[in-house]
Amino acid sequence: IWSCNVTIPKSSTAGTWRVHRLWIWDAANNMRTLRDSDLVAAGEPTDVAVLDAAADSTAPVLTAFSIAPDTVHLNADLHQITFTASVEDVGSGVGYVLAFAGPRGADGGSGCGLQRVSGTAAEGTYSCAMVLPDTAILGEWDAEVSLRDVTGNDREYGLPQLDSAGFKRSVIVQR
């Protein structure tokens, strides 16, 4: 009989979790995949009850956001957009913060993963800088923000959400 331990994160969603696949290797590196239907047919259990009265089902919240500068000049030596965000997560803590900016009404753009510069995973400030290529499309560039906590709850902030929260959400790109 072989066994292994699986760690379920502290604030994981409570409920019935199912073993969907089991991979088995022998000493000669031969592998066999057993699916949940194979386990059920063999009379083996496939369900695990996960109990946690404090399960995290709430996504992080953007409490402040800025995009700078107001105007990016492609003729300058350095032409970048800096995103700064304050994020709170009352459960498992912030897993990641991503920001994206692209030209309004056109394909393209880019983004970056914001790194925590102060605070904690429960309440922190995050920042990153995105360098624009010399060939960037001119005009107004709009931002979007994506948040995810450690448990996997996520929240997206597009133009309507950034506007309704009163956050600046665009920059002008010019030569």
Side-chain angles (χ1 to χ4, degrees), residues 19-101:
V19 175
H20 289 280
R21 261 183 219 105
L22 185 62
W23 292 279
I24 304 170
W25 283 271
D26 65 14
N29 213 24
N30 298 306
M31 186 192 76
R32 179 168 181 206
T33 302
L34 297 174
R35 301 198 180 283
D36 55 345
S37 57
D38 300 322
L39 296 170
V40 168
E44 299 297 335
T46 59
D47 292 343
V48 176
V50 175
L51 307 173
D52 185 358
D56 181 4
S57 60
T58 304
V61 176
L62 189 65
T63 58
F65 178 74
S66 68
I67 180 173
D70 293 332
T71 304
V72 176
H73 298 277
L74 294 180
N75 294 340
D77 288 340
L78 181 63
H79 29 81
Q80 70 182 20
I81 296 172
T82 300
F83 301 99
T84 304
S86 294
V87 182
E88 292 181 3
D89 187 73
V90 296
S92 58
V94 175
Y96 70 71
V97 180
L98 301 175
F100 173 84

Side-chain angles (χ1 to χ4, degrees), residues 89-170:
D89 187 73
V90 296
S92 58
V94 175
Y96 70 71
V97 180
L98 301 175
F100 173 84
R104 186 174 290 172
D107 291 334
S110 189
C112 55
L114 286 74
Q115 300 299 312
R116 189 169 68 228
V117 294
S118 67
T120 66
E123 185 176 349
T125 300
Y126 298 76
S127 185
C128 72
M130 177 182 83
V131 177
L132 298 179
D134 295 334
T135 57
I137 295 173
L138 303 179
E140 192 162 9
W141 283 46
D142 295 317
E144 297 176 15
V145 180
S146 178
L147 310 174
R148 176 171 281 184
D149 67 14
V150 172
T151 303
N153 301 303
D154 43 14
R155 189 181 313 266
E156 303 290 325
Y157 288 84
L159 295 181
Q161 293 83 10
L162 293 172
D163 280 343
S164 68
F167 300 139
K168 179 178 182 255
R169 48 105 170 141
S170 63

